[in-house]
Amino acid sequence: MVGLLGSPHRLAFFAGVLMLGLSAGWWALVIIARTQGWVGPWHVAPGAAHAMLMTYGFMPMFFTGFLFTAGPKWLRVAPPAAHDLLPGVAARVGGWLVFLVGVHLHPWLAVAGAATATLALADLARRFARLLRASTTPDRLHPRLMAAAWFAGVAWLALGTFGLAGHHEVLVRASMGVALWAFIAPMFVTAVHRLLPFFGAAAWPALDARWPMWLLWTLCTAVLGRAGITAAETSGEALSRALWGLFGLFEGAVAVLLFALALRWARIQRVTIRLIAMFYTGLVWFGIAFALGAAAHVLRAVRGDAAPLGLAPLHALAMGFFG
């Protein structure tokens, strides 16, 4: 325990790995049970439970460790001690464990667990915002964007918890789908842009010289635009085929940009370095996620199929880019 409290990232990353293992193990058991025809007790719909746990159960733990370790260095402020973050991290782990038990035993246990996790996430967002306010360094763009994404994540989790309390599965799944694009994706895009020189520079020299942050703003706009598309497609409203086609064109344009950047960076970077290769592969998956989304929406516009590619675009983002 002393080792885990040595720094914020040790504590939060341990909690993230723990929750990732538990979440993946739980879902693996669910899949095995389905293949064997076993029907267990479900007090929350499996899809909604999966969406909440996989979106918020572990990834924000890694954000916590990263932001309270790298964030103070960016902001040039004193970092918090790990033991100051322990109550919030422990409350989130405990909240999701209670949620998981409630999924199979009682719906109000699930609501209580999700509400606890929401409050803990909000408290840690407040702590990071306090570091941001204390900073006087001029360059605070990336931490500000990540703080904004974090508070948006709190709002979407609160909305999902509200939907869970009201037995409104559509609202739960919609809020989790939007959170992937309006919370998780902006966090990733902003962090990668700040951390990786090959991502944030030398994209196109003429644009880089005139608008140094053009790529960051473009990608943030892209993921937020995709969040809006997710909100539309999960709203249950009947949308015209023309609108689905426009969604597909938007996603296709973003995919072309990402693949073009990948090709350019492959020429100017040593992708054979394993760490760079891992991030580069993630970027390619980001393009694949947009390309699959474009294909799905164009097919929907042409053929009228509700979900022609199923969950492939979603998992290309979550397991490809995020993973």
mmCIF file of all heavy atoms in Angstrom, residues 18-19 22-23 53 57 61 90-105 109-110 112-114 116-117:
data_model
loop_
_atom_site.group_PDB
_atom_site.id
_atom_site.type_symbol
_atom_site.label_atom_id
_atom_site.label_comp_id
_atom_site.label_asym_id
_atom_site.label_seq_id
_atom_site.Cartn_x
_atom_site.Cartn_y
_atom_site.Cartn_z
ATOM 1 N N LEU A 18 -7.065 -2.792 -12.031
ATOM 2 C CA LEU A 18 -7.959 -3.651 -11.255
ATOM 3 C C LEU A 18 -9.360 -3.653 -11.852
ATOM 4 O O LEU A 18 -9.967 -4.718 -12.073
ATOM 5 C CB LEU A 18 -8.004 -3.167 -9.802
ATOM 6 C CG LEU A 18 -8.985 -3.888 -8.868
ATOM 7 C CD1 LEU A 18 -8.577 -5.347 -8.681
ATOM 8 C CD2 LEU A 18 -9.063 -3.171 -7.519
ATOM 9 N N MET A 19 -9.891 -2.462 -12.137
ATOM 10 C CA MET A 19 -11.233 -2.374 -12.686
ATOM 11 C C MET A 19 -11.313 -2.910 -14.109
ATOM 12 O O MET A 19 -12.322 -3.504 -14.508
ATOM 13 C CB MET A 19 -11.731 -0.921 -12.638
ATOM 14 C CG MET A 19 -12.078 -0.430 -11.250
ATOM 15 S SD MET A 19 -13.278 -1.507 -10.400
ATOM 16 C CE MET A 19 -14.642 -1.512 -11.568
ATOM 17 N N LEU A 22 -11.463 -6.707 -13.735
ATOM 18 C CA LEU A 22 -12.764 -7.139 -13.229
ATOM 19 C C LEU A 22 -13.856 -6.971 -14.285
ATOM 20 O O LEU A 22 -14.711 -7.856 -14.458
ATOM 21 C CB LEU A 22 -13.122 -6.347 -11.969
ATOM 22 C CG LEU A 22 -12.316 -6.683 -10.710
ATOM 23 C CD1 LEU A 22 -12.648 -5.697 -9.589
ATOM 24 C CD2 LEU A 22 -12.598 -8.108 -10.249
ATOM 25 N N SER A 23 -13.829 -5.841 -14.997
ATOM 26 C CA SER A 23 -14.851 -5.575 -16.015
ATOM 27 C C SER A 23 -14.746 -6.572 -17.153
ATOM 28 O O SER A 23 -15.759 -7.141 -17.607
ATOM 29 C CB SER A 23 -14.688 -4.146 -16.561
ATOM 30 O OG SER A 23 -14.774 -3.194 -15.527
ATOM 31 N N LEU A 53 -20.163 0.336 -17.511
ATOM 32 C CA LEU A 53 -18.941 -0.161 -16.885
ATOM 33 C C LEU A 53 -17.733 0.000 -17.807
ATOM 34 O O LEU A 53 -16.645 0.388 -17.362
ATOM 35 C CB LEU A 53 -19.117 -1.625 -16.489
ATOM 36 C CG LEU A 53 -18.100 -2.161 -15.488
ATOM 37 C CD1 LEU A 53 -18.185 -1.420 -14.160
ATOM 38 C CD2 LEU A 53 -18.324 -3.653 -15.251
ATOM 39 N N GLY A 57 -15.880 2.599 -15.983
ATOM 40 C CA GLY A 57 -15.367 1.772 -14.897
ATOM 41 C C GLY A 57 -13.873 1.854 -14.696
ATOM 42 O O GLY A 57 -13.390 1.790 -13.554
ATOM 43 N N MET A 61 -9.922 6.195 -14.448
ATOM 44 C CA MET A 61 -8.859 5.958 -13.470
ATOM 45 C C MET A 61 -7.500 6.302 -14.077
ATOM 46 O O MET A 61 -6.642 6.917 -13.429
ATOM 47 C CB MET A 61 -8.860 4.496 -13.024
ATOM 48 C CG MET A 61 -10.135 4.004 -12.391
ATOM 49 S SD MET A 61 -10.406 4.713 -10.754
ATOM 50 C CE MET A 61 -11.834 3.746 -10.252
ATOM 51 N N ALA A 90 -10.869 5.422 -4.241
ATOM 52 C CA ALA A 90 -11.515 4.299 -3.555
ATOM 53 C C ALA A 90 -13.038 4.353 -3.721
ATOM 54 O O ALA A 90 -13.695 3.315 -3.898
ATOM 55 C CB ALA A 90 -11.147 4.314 -2.071
ATOM 56 N N ALA A 91 -13.596 5.563 -3.678
ATOM 57 C CA ALA A 91 -15.052 5.695 -3.841
ATOM 58 C C ALA A 91 -15.484 5.266 -5.237
ATOM 59 O O ALA A 91 -16.546 4.652 -5.406
ATOM 60 C CB ALA A 91 -15.471 7.140 -3.577
ATOM 61 N N ARG A 92 -14.669 5.570 -6.246
ATOM 62 C CA ARG A 92 -15.020 5.158 -7.595
ATOM 63 C C ARG A 92 -14.928 3.644 -7.758
ATOM 64 O O ARG A 92 -15.814 3.017 -8.350
ATOM 65 C CB ARG A 92 -14.125 5.864 -8.609
ATOM 66 C CG ARG A 92 -14.679 7.225 -8.982
ATOM 67 C CD ARG A 92 -13.644 8.137 -9.556
ATOM 68 N NE ARG A 92 -13.037 7.601 -10.761
ATOM 69 C CZ ARG A 92 -11.926 8.117 -11.296
ATOM 70 N NH1 ARG A 92 -11.326 9.135 -10.700
ATOM 71 N NH2 ARG A 92 -11.429 7.622 -12.395
ATOM 72 N N VAL A 93 -13.876 3.042 -7.226
ATOM 73 C CA VAL A 93 -13.766 1.582 -7.295
ATOM 74 C C VAL A 93 -14.935 0.943 -6.559
ATOM 75 O O VAL A 93 -15.612 0.042 -7.074
ATOM 76 C CB VAL A 93 -12.426 1.106 -6.702
ATOM 77 C CG1 VAL A 93 -12.411 -0.413 -6.576
ATOM 78 C CG2 VAL A 93 -11.257 1.570 -7.574
ATOM 79 N N GLY A 94 -15.193 1.421 -5.328
ATOM 80 C CA GLY A 94 -16.295 0.871 -4.547
ATOM 81 C C GLY A 94 -17.637 1.076 -5.219
ATOM 82 O O GLY A 94 -18.490 0.170 -5.225
ATOM 83 N N GLY A 95 -17.825 2.259 -5.817
ATOM 84 C CA GLY A 95 -19.085 2.544 -6.493
ATOM 85 C C GLY A 95 -19.347 1.589 -7.647
ATOM 86 O O GLY A 95 -20.455 1.058 -7.807
ATOM 87 N N TRP A 96 -18.319 1.326 -8.451
ATOM 88 C CA TRP A 96 -18.519 0.431 -9.591
ATOM 89 C C TRP A 96 -18.662 -1.017 -9.162
ATOM 90 O O TRP A 96 -19.372 -1.801 -9.819
ATOM 91 C CB TRP A 96 -17.387 0.598 -10.602
ATOM 92 C CG TRP A 96 -17.501 1.896 -11.346
ATOM 93 C CD1 TRP A 96 -16.617 2.924 -11.345
ATOM 94 C CD2 TRP A 96 -18.610 2.315 -12.155
ATOM 95 N NE1 TRP A 96 -17.098 3.966 -12.122
ATOM 96 C CE2 TRP A 96 -18.316 3.615 -12.630
ATOM 97 C CE3 TRP A 96 -19.813 1.722 -12.537
ATOM 98 C CZ2 TRP A 96 -19.188 4.320 -13.458
ATOM 99 C CZ3 TRP A 96 -20.693 2.434 -13.352
ATOM 100 C CH2 TRP A 96 -20.374 3.718 -13.809
ATOM 101 N N LEU A 97 -18.033 -1.393 -8.068
ATOM 102 C CA LEU A 97 -18.243 -2.750 -7.561
ATOM 103 C C LEU A 97 -19.678 -2.929 -7.068
ATOM 104 O O LEU A 97 -20.315 -3.964 -7.322
ATOM 105 C CB LEU A 97 -17.251 -3.054 -6.439
ATOM 106 C CG LEU A 97 -15.780 -3.187 -6.858
ATOM 107 C CD1 LEU A 97 -14.897 -3.427 -5.640
ATOM 108 C CD2 LEU A 97 -15.600 -4.306 -7.876
ATOM 109 N N VAL A 98 -20.200 -1.915 -6.367
ATOM 110 C CA VAL A 98 -21.601 -1.965 -5.920
ATOM 111 C C VAL A 98 -22.525 -1.987 -7.137
ATOM 112 O O VAL A 98 -23.531 -2.720 -7.166
ATOM 113 C CB VAL A 98 -21.915 -0.767 -5.007
ATOM 114 C CG1 VAL A 98 -23.418 -0.672 -4.735
ATOM 115 C CG2 VAL A 98 -21.148 -0.884 -3.693
ATOM 116 N N PHE A 99 -22.200 -1.189 -8.140
ATOM 117 C CA PHE A 99 -22.984 -1.187 -9.380
ATOM 118 C C PHE A 99 -23.045 -2.587 -9.978
ATOM 119 O O PHE A 99 -24.113 -3.073 -10.358
ATOM 120 C CB PHE A 99 -22.362 -0.204 -10.372
ATOM 121 C CG PHE A 99 -22.897 -0.317 -11.775
ATOM 122 C CD1 PHE A 99 -24.072 0.312 -12.130
ATOM 123 C CD2 PHE A 99 -22.223 -1.064 -12.736
ATOM 124 C CE1 PHE A 99 -24.576 0.195 -13.428
ATOM 125 C CE2 PHE A 99 -22.719 -1.179 -14.030
ATOM 126 C CZ PHE A 99 -23.895 -0.543 -14.373
ATOM 127 N N LEU A 100 -21.896 -3.236 -10.059
ATOM 128 C CA LEU A 100 -21.827 -4.561 -10.676
ATOM 129 C C LEU A 100 -22.654 -5.584 -9.898
ATOM 130 O O LEU A 100 -23.344 -6.426 -10.488
ATOM 131 C CB LEU A 100 -20.364 -5.004 -10.753
ATOM 132 C CG LEU A 100 -20.017 -6.153 -11.688
ATOM 133 C CD1 LEU A 100 -20.571 -5.913 -13.091
ATOM 134 C CD2 LEU A 100 -18.507 -6.344 -11.739
ATOM 135 N N VAL A 101 -22.600 -5.494 -8.576
ATOM 136 C CA VAL A 101 -23.425 -6.385 -7.754
ATOM 137 C C VAL A 101 -24.904 -6.085 -7.990
ATOM 138 O O VAL A 101 -25.740 -7.001 -8.147
ATOM 139 C CB VAL A 101 -23.067 -6.222 -6.263
ATOM 140 C CG1 VAL A 101 -24.071 -6.982 -5.389
ATOM 141 C CG2 VAL A 101 -21.651 -6.719 -5.998
ATOM 142 N N GLY A 102 -25.245 -4.796 -8.045
ATOM 143 C CA GLY A 102 -26.637 -4.408 -8.243
ATOM 144 C C GLY A 102 -27.203 -4.822 -9.586
ATOM 145 O O GLY A 102 -28.401 -5.106 -9.704
ATOM 146 N N VAL A 103 -26.357 -4.884 -10.612
ATOM 147 C CA VAL A 103 -26.805 -5.332 -11.933
ATOM 148 C C VAL A 103 -27.472 -6.694 -11.846
ATOM 149 O O VAL A 103 -28.447 -6.971 -12.550
ATOM 150 C CB VAL A 103 -25.594 -5.368 -12.911
ATOM 151 C CG1 VAL A 103 -25.917 -6.183 -14.156
ATOM 152 C CG2 VAL A 103 -25.190 -3.951 -13.292
ATOM 153 N N HIS A 104 -26.973 -7.534 -10.941
ATOM 154 C CA HIS A 104 -27.488 -8.902 -10.846
ATOM 155 C C HIS A 104 -28.372 -9.144 -9.616
ATOM 156 O O HIS A 104 -29.046 -10.179 -9.559
ATOM 157 C CB HIS A 104 -26.328 -9.892 -10.830
ATOM 158 C CG HIS A 104 -25.509 -9.864 -12.094
ATOM 159 N ND1 HIS A 104 -25.959 -10.374 -13.279
ATOM 160 C CD2 HIS A 104 -24.266 -9.358 -12.338
ATOM 161 C CE1 HIS A 104 -25.040 -10.204 -14.218
ATOM 162 N NE2 HIS A 104 -24.003 -9.594 -13.675
ATOM 163 N N LEU A 105 -28.350 -8.201 -8.639
ATOM 164 C CA LEU A 105 -29.118 -8.436 -7.413
ATOM 165 C C LEU A 105 -30.283 -7.475 -7.218
ATOM 166 O O LEU A 105 -31.380 -7.883 -6.833
ATOM 167 C CB LEU A 105 -28.199 -8.370 -6.193
ATOM 168 C CG LEU A 105 -27.193 -9.498 -6.027
ATOM 169 C CD1 LEU A 105 -26.447 -9.354 -4.701
ATOM 170 C CD2 LEU A 105 -27.879 -10.872 -6.092
ATOM 171 N N LEU A 109 -29.287 -0.907 -6.030
ATOM 172 C CA LEU A 109 -27.860 -1.028 -5.716
ATOM 173 C C LEU A 109 -27.020 -0.518 -6.883
ATOM 174 O O LEU A 109 -26.010 0.171 -6.684
ATOM 175 C CB LEU A 109 -27.504 -2.497 -5.439
ATOM 176 C CG LEU A 109 -27.642 -3.016 -4.009
ATOM 177 C CD1 LEU A 109 -27.294 -4.495 -3.971
ATOM 178 C CD2 LEU A 109 -26.750 -2.233 -3.061
ATOM 179 N N ALA A 110 -27.449 -0.850 -8.095
ATOM 180 C CA ALA A 110 -26.740 -0.364 -9.276
ATOM 181 C C ALA A 110 -26.793 1.158 -9.358
ATOM 182 O O ALA A 110 -25.784 1.819 -9.667
ATOM 183 C CB ALA A 110 -27.333 -0.990 -10.534
ATOM 184 N N ALA A 112 -27.205 3.248 -6.833
ATOM 185 C CA ALA A 112 -26.380 3.789 -5.749
ATOM 186 C C ALA A 112 -24.898 3.733 -6.105
ATOM 187 O O ALA A 112 -24.141 4.676 -5.843
ATOM 188 C CB ALA A 112 -26.648 3.025 -4.457
ATOM 189 N N GLY A 113 -24.472 2.621 -6.712
ATOM 190 C CA GLY A 113 -23.075 2.505 -7.103
ATOM 191 C C GLY A 113 -22.692 3.512 -8.159
ATOM 192 O O GLY A 113 -21.638 4.158 -8.070
ATOM 193 N N ALA A 114 -23.531 3.681 -9.180
ATOM 194 C CA ALA A 114 -23.243 4.643 -10.239
ATOM 195 C C ALA A 114 -23.255 6.074 -9.707
ATOM 196 O O ALA A 114 -22.435 6.906 -10.110
ATOM 197 C CB ALA A 114 -24.252 4.493 -11.375
ATOM 198 N N THR A 116 -22.492 7.001 -6.637
ATOM 199 C CA THR A 116 -21.248 7.164 -5.863
ATOM 200 C C THR A 116 -20.069 7.432 -6.793
ATOM 201 O O THR A 116 -19.241 8.322 -6.548
ATOM 202 C CB THR A 116 -20.976 5.904 -5.033
ATOM 203 O OG1 THR A 116 -22.068 5.679 -4.134
ATOM 204 C CG2 THR A 116 -19.688 6.036 -4.232
ATOM 205 N N ALA A 117 -19.990 6.667 -7.880
ATOM 206 C CA ALA A 117 -18.908 6.867 -8.848
ATOM 207 C C ALA A 117 -18.989 8.244 -9.493
ATOM 208 O O ALA A 117 -17.960 8.881 -9.751
ATOM 209 C CB ALA A 117 -18.961 5.772 -9.911
#
